[in-house]
Amino acid sequence: MARKRRKNVRKNNLYTPQRYDERTLHEEREYGVYWYSWLWRICRPVLIFLCSLLIVIGIVTMGWNKVYEKFLMPVDVNNTQPVRFTIESGTSISSIGSQLEKQQLLRNGTVFKYLVQFRGLTDSISYGTYNLSPSMDINAIIDELSSGSQTNERVITIIPGWTVEDIADYLFEEGAIATREEFLTLCEDATAFADASYPLKLAQDAGTLEGRKYQLEGYLAPDTYRVFRSADARSIINTLIAQTNTVVDSVYYSDHVSYYVDSEGVTHEVEQFESTLTMDETIILASMIEKEAGKTSDYAKVSAVFHNRLQAGWKLESDPTATYLSGVNKLALTDEETQAQNAYNTYVIDGLPIGPICNPSAAAIEAALYPDMEYIQQGYMYFCAKEPTSGELAFSITLEEHEANVAQYRPLWEEYDRRQASSSEAEE
């Protein structure tokens, strides 16, 4: 009996090897595997975020390295040989950038200009002579050029599309000239300034400046300049005219090549346009393009329309030429305004106006020389403004298409003119 009892006790014992193994496995599952799963649920999104962050940082770093190598890094990090670099008084920021690039002290003059403006150092670039080197990056060069005192200079900015009168108003408001009348009188006669600009001298020698309201219109290059505070109107005009030489050179003597990619992905060189216009006529056309196009992407297209009309012997019928002398500033012109009898109004004269109607940018001069060849070949003959504040233009080949565009958009022009007139009256 005793032996049988011991057998039963052993049989009912809760801690038999089999029961012990089952309990141990249960505890491991309850406190081991489940605990690891809970930890993984927390760590998994963190790890995914960190991996994504590393990928983004890698992409941004790679992009930055590409930009830095192409535009910002030193031209030659191992070349510490000093190079003397001189900035003359009145030199524009664009010219300084071009000179630095030409002397192989930085990689891109245009990036220099925008970086100076972005850092708010336009007023701090000093004239004088500096010791620079190809081992300096663009920011080090800017820091060096902006380290001097500017108490004797002022910064002036001439906007593309401004007329001589706009420039006179601006300079007078800035306190750069004593009276606007003196500036305008000097701009009426190119005799005293022609020797400072070879494009102006060519026009004077050809006798084409006669009859213009301002003989210097079109030859005062838009840009940002540093001038002495003591500079008078004549000195400022000389500075603007001298910059015109640089602008014209950059357009006329650059290697201009255009390409297009066909439907099969093959790149082709575009046939270059052979302009028959003189340099003065090109500047006149550029001034019209500057006034007509609201976006630089349309400059070459507007140029193509004008070239097509010149080739066909049509009147150019440009609204800004009709209002140049009157100073009227609106989009929907009346028949009386378009039929004003003067040598600038291309609604009543054949060909180009007698002179420029504003001071054009380098981009507009380039467009005058190199119109959009697709628009040339397809025969675009018309354009008009769309919604005024968008700056967009509607181009058309036929008169019917053009008249439909005018009918669609003219109410928008008239409403815009009414708002502008009301705003002007409120200011007065």
Side-chain angles (χ1 to χ4, degrees):
M1 289 294 294
R3 183 179 301 173
K4 184 175 181 180
R5 191 182 302 116
R6 285 194 297 270
K7 184 176 180 181
N8 290 337
V9 168
R10 182 178 299 174
K11 182 177 181 181
N12 295 325
N13 194 330
L14 293 176
Y15 293 97
T16 61
Q18 180 180 3
R19 288 182 176 275
Y20 176 80
D21 291 343
E22 290 176 352
R23 177 172 179 175
T24 302
L25 180 61
H26 174 74
E27 291 176 348
E28 288 176 350
R29 289 175 177 174
E30 182 71 17
Y31 301 105
V33 175
Y34 288 173
W35 172 84
Y36 176 79
S37 176
W38 170 77
L39 180 62
W40 174 246
R41 283 197 301 272
I42 295 176
C43 294
R44 184 172 179 272
V46 175
L47 292 174
I48 292 174
F49 171 77
L50 291 176
C51 290
S52 302
L53 182 62
L54 288 174
I55 293 172
V56 171
I57 291 174
I59 293 173
V60 171
T61 301
M62 183 171 61
W64 166 254
N65 289 337
K66 290 290 186 183
V67 171
Y68 182 74
E69 290 174 4
K70 187 171 183 180
F71 299 112
L72 306 178
M73 73 178 295
V75 173
D76 185 354
V77 70
N78 297 317
N79 184 1
T80 59
Q81 184 68 30
V83 176
R84 291 178 64 82
F85 181 78
T86 301
I87 301 177
E88 301 291 345
S89 177
T91 305
S92 69
I93 299 299
S94 297
S95 294
I96 293 173
S98 298
Q99 292 169 17
L100 287 166
E101 183 177 354
K102 188 177 296 183
Q103 290 187 225
Q104 297 185 341
L105 289 168
L106 53 73
R107 294 177 177 271
N108 190 290
T110 301
V111 172
F112 169 87
K113 173 185 175 181
Y114 290 137
L115 191 56
V116 168
Q117 294 175 340
F118 176 77
R119 292 180 58 182
L121 295 176
T122 302
D123 292 346
S124 302
I125 300 297
S126 307
Y127 69 91
T129 300
Y130 300 84
N131 286 323
L132 308 177
S133 78
S135 64
M136 299 171 68
D137 66 16
I138 190 169
N139 281 302
I141 290 176
I142 291 173
D143 290 340
E144 180 66 21
L145 299 183
S146 61
S147 61
S149 172
Q150 297 304 305
T151 56
N152 295 323
E153 293 187 325
R154 75 169 80 244
V155 175
I156 59 173
T157 299
I158 309 303
I159 305 300
W162 275 3
T163 65
V164 162
E165 294 182 356
D166 292 331
I167 296 174
D169 291 339
Y170 163 76
L171 293 176
F172 179 70
E173 291 173 1
E174 291 292 308
I177 56 176
T179 66
R180 65 188 300 276
E181 289 73 20
E182 178 191 5
F183 186 89
L184 295 177
T185 299
L186 290 170
C187 290
E188 290 176 355
D189 188 355
T191 304
F193 304 99
D195 290 337
S197 171
Y198 74 89
L200 185 61
K201 180 65 174 174
L202 289 173
Q204 184 186 52
D205 292 344
T208 57
L209 299 181
E210 297 300 325
R212 299 182 182 182
K213 183 178 183 180
Y214 298 108
Q215 293 188 356
L216 298 188
E217 189 79 88
Y219 289 90
L220 305 180
D223 210 323
T224 298
Y225 300 88
R226 301 196 57 81
V227 297
F228 285 118
R229 291 187 178 276
S230 59
D232 59 11
R234 185 181 297 274
S235 175
I236 292 175
I237 290 173
N238 272 317
T239 297
L240 304 187
I241 287 177
Q243 178 64 9
T244 301
N245 294 335
T246 302
V247 172
V248 170
D249 285 347
S250 69
V251 175
Y252 268 82
Y253 306 112
S254 64
D255 296 328
H256 182 91
V257 181
S258 299
Y259 300 92
Y260 76 94
V261 180
D262 62 21
S263 58
E264 297 179 354
V266 180
T267 301
H268 303 271
E269 183 175 337
V270 176
E271 177 186 359
Q272 295 301 311
F273 181 78
E274 296 293 335
S275 177
T276 60
L277 302 180
T278 66
M279 188 175 291
D280 183 56
E281 289 171 336
T282 299
I283 292 175
I284 294 173
L285 179 57
S287 73
M288 296 171 61
I289 295 169
E290 191 77 64
K291 281 294 191 181
E292 290 280 16
K295 296 182 176 181
T296 55
S297 57
D298 284 336
Y299 281 11
K301 296 174 183 177
V302 170
S303 177
V305 170
F306 283 142
H307 276 289
N308 282 341
R309 294 176 77 94
L310 287 171
Q311 182 66 29
W314 292 15
K315 286 182 170 59
L316 298 182
E317 297 183 344
S318 169
D319 286 5
T321 66
T323 59
Y324 173 69
L325 291 183
S326 66
V328 171
N329 183 21
K330 63 180 186 178
L331 294 176
L333 300 185
T334 64
D335 290 340
E336 181 181 359
E337 289 163 340
T338 59
Q339 295 305 309
Q341 298 296 313
N342 63 72
Y344 284 95
N345 187 1
T346 55
Y347 277 92
V348 298
I349 65 168
D350 295 326
L352 294 165
I354 192 173
I357 59 173
C358 72
N359 294 279
S361 62
I365 298 174
E366 182 176 13
L369 274 177
Y370 306 108
D372 187 298
M373 288 304 297
E374 182 178 353
Y375 275 50
I376 289 283
Q377 293 164 357
Q378 293 185 14
Y380 277 85
M381 305 297 283
Y382 305 91
F383 64 84
C384 70
K386 292 185 177 181
E387 199 284 318
T389 60
S390 72
E392 296 181 354
L393 298 176
F395 294 87
S396 51
I397 297 174
T398 68
L399 178 60
E400 291 75 19
E401 293 170 340
H402 177 63
E403 288 178 339
N405 287 333
V406 171
Q408 177 181 354
Y409 296 113
R410 189 176 183 88
L412 301 180
W413 309 341
E414 293 172 342
E415 175 59 28
Y416 177 81
D417 289 341
R418 282 193 292 270
R419 291 199 306 268
Q420 293 296 104
S422 298
S423 177
S424 298
E425 291 175 0
E427 291 178 359
E428 295 175 357

